[in-house]
Each structure stands twice: as C-alpha cells, then as structure tokens.
Amino acid sequence: MPTMRDAALASAFDHAARTYDTLVNANPGYHAHLRRSARRLGLPAQGRGLRVLDLGCGTGASTAALLSVLPDAEITAVDASAGMLERAAAKPWPSSVTFAHTPAEHLAAAGIDGGFDAVFAAYLFRNTADPDRVLTSVRDVLAPGGRVAVHEYTLSGKHRHRAVWSAVCAGLLPVTTALGDGALYRHLWRSVVEFDTAALFARRLSAAGFSRVAVLPLPGWQTGITHTIVGQVPQERTRG
C-alpha cells in the first residue's frame, strides 16, 4: 500500500483524531521528547515578545510542548486536518495561542504572514508531498536569524533502528486496525521507512538556505529513530 498524501491523508487524520491522544500518551517519552525539541530552538527569556509557528500541530501536543518551554511567546498553530485541529482548539489555552486550518504548503493563502522568530514542525515533513516546497515556505515566514526545529521520525540509516521501528509498528497495527485507522498507521510505518535519513534531511535544510544545521538525537527507544534537526535563517548582511 502506498503512502497517503494531501486530501486523503488529511481525511485519515480527521478520522483518527478521536483516539489519537490516547495512542500517543501510551508512547514512552512522547511529550518529553517534544519539549526537548522545543528547548532546542534555543529561544531566550521564555519566548517573551517572540512569535512562534507550530507547523502541523495535530491535536496540540506540540503546541503544549512549545507553551511549556516558551510560556510568554505568541504561538500560531496550524494543521491540514480539520479533525485534529478541532481536538487541539477545544483544549484550554491562553489567549497567546491561536489556531488556523491550512496545509503547510499554503500558509500565505491562509493569512499566515512572515516575521516569525521560530518554526516548530513535529512529525510533519515525511507526510508532505514536497518537503522542499514546505522548507521554502518555512524559510519565507521566518525573520532573518529565525530558527527552525524539526522533530521527526528520521531513521539513522542503521539496520537495527529500522528493525525496531518496523517491530513497533507491527505491534501497533492490530489495535489501530480494530479502531478503523489501520490504513493511516500503515502509512505511518511506510512513510518513515521511505523518508530521508536524519543526515539526508539535514542536507535538505542546508540546500534550502538554512545555516547552523545540526542533527540532535533523542533518548530512549527512539534513539536512532527520532531526531531533532535544527537550523537558522542567516542574518541579513548590513551595508558598510
């Protein structure tokens, strides 16, 4: 079965939204890893006076991680799945957090303007039809010196890490199939296996014009499976 894209994938996430939080809460370290990746943005002063875009917010786990690390930032959270976004927006949030329904490729059309100090993208890029186009969109909405942290299932390239990922997915499929979401979670498995390794995705960031690109591992069972890849938009040169 091929991986899903665009409207078909958004529809699958719409259906899975009702049980998504329960499943991710059973994943050891899921929320702690998101908070660690949010800290890796390296933003100062708890985010005071800063604008942060949460790209592909799902049911709001990444938004909560950002809010925990950057409680004083203005956070805009977007997602292509109306069902996931409805779940996220229904949770209690301060007025500094807002939500918008849009695919990552069409931020400008949704009124998501530029000047963000940081973009956080969790579990997004392997679900997009054109990761390079999305990276261009990310770069376009970041201010000079703005930072990006991509929290993603990007395998190390080592056979044992791919084997662990496949074993985890095989164990999960009977449950998700019973819930009617088997196709989505088969996509999840295949999308990771077929996507970039962490090193290859880091090269994508560099090719898209980001500087100070680094691949940072995450602990626990996800070592070699999930990484934070960070980068920064170069500062504009001052005229002498």
Side-chain angles (χ1 to χ4, degrees):
M1 177 182 176
T3 52
M4 293 185 285
R5 293 290 182 257
D6 301 327
L9 183 57
S11 178
F13 273 116
D14 288 347
H15 187 270
R18 71 200 190 288
T19 58
Y20 193 80
D21 283 345
T22 300
L23 289 171
V24 300
N25 287 340
N27 181 342
Y30 186 92
H31 296 287
H33 287 172
L34 285 170
R35 291 191 295 270
R36 185 183 293 243
S37 289
R39 287 193 296 270
R40 287 170 169 173
L41 283 166
L43 298 178
Q46 297 186 312
R48 189 174 303 111
L50 301 180
R51 298 176 66 222
V52 180
L53 177 64
D54 183 14
L55 194 59
C57 67
T59 59
S62 54
T63 318
L66 284 169
L67 187 62
S68 174
V69 174
L70 303 166
D72 297 329
E74 177 185 320
I75 300 170
T76 302
V78 305
D79 202 273
S81 164
M84 300 286 273
L85 198 67
E86 181 180 4
R87 292 273 172 169
K91 296 173 182 178
W93 303 101
S95 60
S96 58
V97 177
T98 57
F99 293 90
H101 180 214
T102 180
E105 296 89 342
H106 302 300
L107 297 175
I112 309 298
D113 59 1
F116 285 95
D117 299 286
V119 172
F120 189 65
Y123 307 117
L124 170 76
F125 277 92
R126 62 186 163 72
N127 287 320
T128 63
D130 189 346
D132 295 319
R133 180 183 176 189
V134 177
L135 279 173
T136 298
S137 295
V138 168
R139 195 179 188 284
D140 287 347
V141 299
L142 281 168
R147 303 174 187 183
V148 61
V150 176
H151 176 100
E152 185 59 274
Y153 292 124
T154 46
L155 299 176
S156 69
K158 294 182 179 179
H159 175 75
R160 69 177 182 274
H161 295 142
R162 176 171 173 156
V164 169
W165 172 250
S166 294
V168 169
C169 290
L172 189 61
L173 276 173
V175 176
T176 56
T177 299
L179 293 170
D181 296 315
L184 175 62
Y185 286 87
R186 283 190 292 274
H187 158 85
L188 170 64
W189 167 60
R190 290 181 60 87
S191 68
V192 175
V193 170
E194 295 174 3
F195 192 55
D196 297 350
T197 63
L200 181 56
F201 188 77
R203 290 198 286 274
R204 279 191 196 267
L205 257 71
S206 296
F210 290 91
S211 62
R212 303 177 67 181
V213 174
V215 176
L216 305 171
L218 288 158
W221 77 267
Q222 294 191 52
T223 299
I225 295 171
T226 312
H227 296 85
T228 319
I229 302 97
V230 297
Q232 187 169 11
V233 174
Q235 293 281 358
E236 290 181 339
R237 293 182 180 178
T238 57
R239 296 180 180 179

